[in-house]
Amino acid sequence: MDTRESGGGTLAVPGARLHYEVRGKGPLLILMAGGNSDADVFGGLAAVLSSGHRVVSYDPRGNSRSVLDGPSADQRIEVHADDACRLLDAVATPGERASVFGSCSGGLTALELLRRHPDRVGAVVVHEPPSLSLLPDAEDRLAFIDEVHALFRGEGVAGAMAKFSSLFGGRSAPVLPEAQDNSAFFLAHTMRPFTRFVPDVAALAPMAARIAVAGGRESRTHVARRPAVVLAERLGRELVEFPGGHSGYAKWPQEFARLLLAVFDALPTGQGRAPCGS
């Protein structure tokens, strides 16, 4: 069945099965969730964007409906980027390039996808990618992440997530749309490797004009926004400020979509196409 203009489906990838959703018709736009989120977090944003685009969102492997084939294991951005490329194979028309928006660790996946497959991706917008390793105080920040992980192992999800919230100004995490709660998987297998991942800025530099790095207006003082500031500086880009905080697209979908489309329109894209795995 051709799923490029349908409601989506399930895609078998090495070690997992990805749940993905397709809305609308037009130029291809991929939404990449991060952390413990899934495709549902983009419900409002995708509904707005689908008026003029073919919008694809999906659950990252290990989250919600994207089940692993084997036992749970620590996640790697490189594997998530391979998943995204295979998803492109499933949903893109011949020769089509995708615009990509990545939230949180989805932003790291988007950057790695662009680095590995610049011929498959046009413009990329990354919103508050959580690469704490980029920070001048990275050692202290990563030690904090290890403390959160140890607290999770010793006392469970609630206390660990409460401690983790200090990266977002210490507020309780907003209630976001989700198919299921992935907090335990996130704390066990995603948080540490993803916050340690460092984008290959040198490799991305020749494509920097195609990248917009974004942060939330309401998260200016939050640790979670600081890597975006550093990344933008290293790529020679101005940080783009979006409505809301770390997940402003969920609270302000209309305003967020309007700015997102304007940013995409201002970014150049490249040419060509090569199959994933090449």
Side-chain angles (χ1 to χ4, degrees):
M1 181 181 68
D2 187 347
T3 59
R4 289 176 299 193
E5 293 186 1
S6 74
T10 301
L11 176 68
V13 296
R17 287 165 287 155
L18 299 183
H19 167 87
Y20 69 97
E21 301 171 3
V22 184
R23 296 175 175 86
K25 296 182 180 181
L28 182 59
L29 199 168
I30 309 290
L31 303 178
M32 295 183 176
N36 56 357
S37 293
D38 56 43
D40 284 10
V41 78
F42 291 129
L45 182 65
V48 178
L49 294 171
S50 64
S51 64
H53 290 76
R54 191 163 82 263
V55 181
V56 178
S57 54
Y58 65 101
D59 300 352
R61 67 163 59 208
N63 282 7
S64 298
R65 298 151 293 196
S66 288
V67 296
L68 302 176
D69 292 340
S72 297
D74 283 357
Q75 298 300 291
R76 297 177 60 236
I77 290 293
E78 296 86 350
V79 174
H80 283 237
D82 286 342
D83 289 346
C85 194
R86 289 184 170 90
L87 181 59
L88 276 177
D89 280 343
V91 301
T93 57
E96 184 177 30
R97 303 168 68 86
S99 298
V100 179
F101 170 74
S103 168
C104 191
S105 56
L108 298 177
T109 301
L111 291 173
E112 184 67 6
L113 176 66
L114 176 63
R115 184 187 74 81
R116 290 176 171 225
H117 302 283
D119 50 340
R120 305 300 308 280
V121 178
V124 173
V125 179
V126 296
H127 189 270
E128 299 195 0
S131 185
L132 298 179
S133 293
L134 289 173
L135 300 179
D137 56 348
E139 185 175 347
D140 291 341
R141 296 302 176 183
L142 294 175
F144 168 81
I145 293 295
D146 289 341
E147 292 172 6
V148 173
H149 184 262
L151 185 61
F152 163 67
R153 290 299 188 193
E155 300 183 20
V157 169
M161 291 302 290
K163 185 176 182 70
F164 184 71
S165 70
S166 69
L167 298 182
F168 305 90
R171 306 176 187 175
S172 299
V175 177
L176 299 174
E178 58 184 8
Q180 68 184 57
D181 184 357
N182 301 294
S183 297
F185 183 81
F186 167 75
L187 291 166
H189 299 296
T190 303
M191 175 182 66
R192 288 197 299 172
F194 282 12
T195 53
R196 283 170 164 78
F197 179 82
V198 180
D200 189 339
V201 176
L204 291 168
M207 298 172 282
R210 292 159 58 185
I211 303 169
V213 185
R217 188 174 300 126
E218 295 177 7
S219 52
R220 290 173 180 168
T221 62
H222 298 175
V223 174
R225 184 175 129 149
R226 288 179 56 205
V229 176
V230 175
L231 179 63
E233 290 174 350
R234 293 193 182 180
L235 289 172
R237 306 293 287 163
E238 292 290 332
L239 186 77
V240 183
E241 199 164 72
F242 273 77
H246 190 66
S247 53
Y249 48 85
K251 185 177 180 181
W252 307 103
Q254 292 276 355
E255 296 86 345
F256 203 100
R258 189 179 305 118
L259 180 55
L260 181 61
L261 292 177
V263 171
F264 276 130
D265 285 344
L267 295 174
T269 60
Q271 302 293 327
R273 172 188 169 96
C276 297
S278 62

